[in-house]
Amino acid sequence: MQVTRDTFNEVMVPNYNPAAMVPVRGEGSRVWDQDGREYIDFAGGIAVNVLGHCHPELVKTLNDQGSKLWHLSNVFTNEPAMRLAKKLTDATFADKVYFANSGAEANEAALKLARRFALDHFGESKDQIISFTKGFHGRTFFTVTVGGQPAYSDGFGPKPGAVEHCEYNNLDALKALMSERTCAVMMEPMQGEGGIIVPDPEFVKGVRELCDKHDALLIFDEVQSGMGRTGELYEYINLGVKPDILTTAKSLGGGFPVGAMLTTDKVSASLKPGTHGSTYGGNPLACAIAEKVFDIVNTPEVLEGVRHKEALFREKLNQINDKYHVFSEIRGKGMLLGCALNEHYKGKARDFMVAANEEGLMCLVAGMDVVRFAPSLIIPDEDIIEGLRRFEKGIAQLVAKSDAA
Ligand SMILES: *Cc1c(COP(=O)(O)O)cnc(C)c1O
């Protein structure tokens, strides 16, 4: 059966507006479309394809586990899930793991756990959840309500209650909101969707202190910042601030859907048998792949490589900006970088993304004002250089058009 981009409009619910080309094959950081045209991939499936496309060791794991055991449900446990949980707890602050299928589901579990923990230890009145404007935590109704963009959560009827929002990086505002009623504070230790916003380390330390003072749990949503993306396994390690609950997904499966919630023995005790669950969560196929991703990412070669590649990106992006004067700032960390557009190009991030795509580069936006790159952590330096050469060509086109207008 022949399908084209037009088929999308015919048969898909119109909640997405995908690019004009249809990718059919990928290898490393290169992708080919239906017409055989090649692209360099700085989008990484939105910070997911942490080892690029079709990494040989992941393909092997997929095939090996795929011919052994795919799925059981949680009526039975399985070896890959237990091994992955052991590795995640050995490498982090956490003692216990809950597996889910996505970031939103890991966050949903975290929020439900925080509410149940507060109920168990402090009673019904401790129900307030505080999160931050521009934050993003997924699209289930609870997580999208906790996320800080009303545009995503409005229009679906009554929202889950006792959720309040605070300005990111504003400790005084948080202090004013918190009380013994506060059950949990949920934050991204680096905001992704909201525009690649790196917090002030003192702010994050202050959030931890306020949570301790008010017996509130601190939840770090590391769905985007986690699993090596910033050059550490998780960004909380860089910040030197331990959360009570951490969620991880995206990079964790390297392209296979999986998510996890990590927490301590004490907090985990509130998820007693029957309190929460998922049919697929922690299935052997997903966990075998995530275990292999973890083994490869959690090595000095890959994590140090991320820092080196960030430096290369920044050097080249600064050169582009010296020539075309389009960015006000290059921000972010590791392989999660944002080119914030200056006053002259504000609101035009999508135009930059489309122009790049036309030159053979896949990239992302984060809001209307930021072009976002979230490539593979092992993208070859040649692909970075060639990708940025294509990006520059796209920018040259846009700038020429804008000067002519
Ligand atoms: C992408 C993202 C989510 C949602 O993950 P899904 O797998 O799409 O449900 C949650 N939190 C953050 C910080 C994200 O970037």
Side-chain angles (χ1 to χ4, degrees), residues 102-104 107 136-138 188 221 223-224 250:
S102 66
N107 285 333
F136 184 79
H137 303 297
E188 293 163 87
D221 177 347
V223 169
Q224 190 152 168
K250 290 203 167 98

Side-chain angles (χ1 to χ4, degrees), residues 46-48 101-107 135-140 143 187-193 221-225 247 249-250 258-259 372:
I46 315 191
V48 166
N101 311 291
S102 66
E105 281 181 50
N107 285 333
F136 184 79
H137 303 297
R139 299 287 201 145
T140 66
T143 59
M187 66 181 283
E188 293 163 87
M190 169 157 82
Q191 289 190 327
E193 300 302 311
D221 177 347
E222 294 231 33
V223 169
Q224 190 152 168
S225 60
T247 56
K250 290 203 167 98
V258 61
R372 171 173 41 157

Side-chain angles (χ1 to χ4, degrees), residues 141 150-157 159:
F141 207 15
Y152 292 163
S153 56
D154 286 351
F156 300 104
K159 295 176 186 177

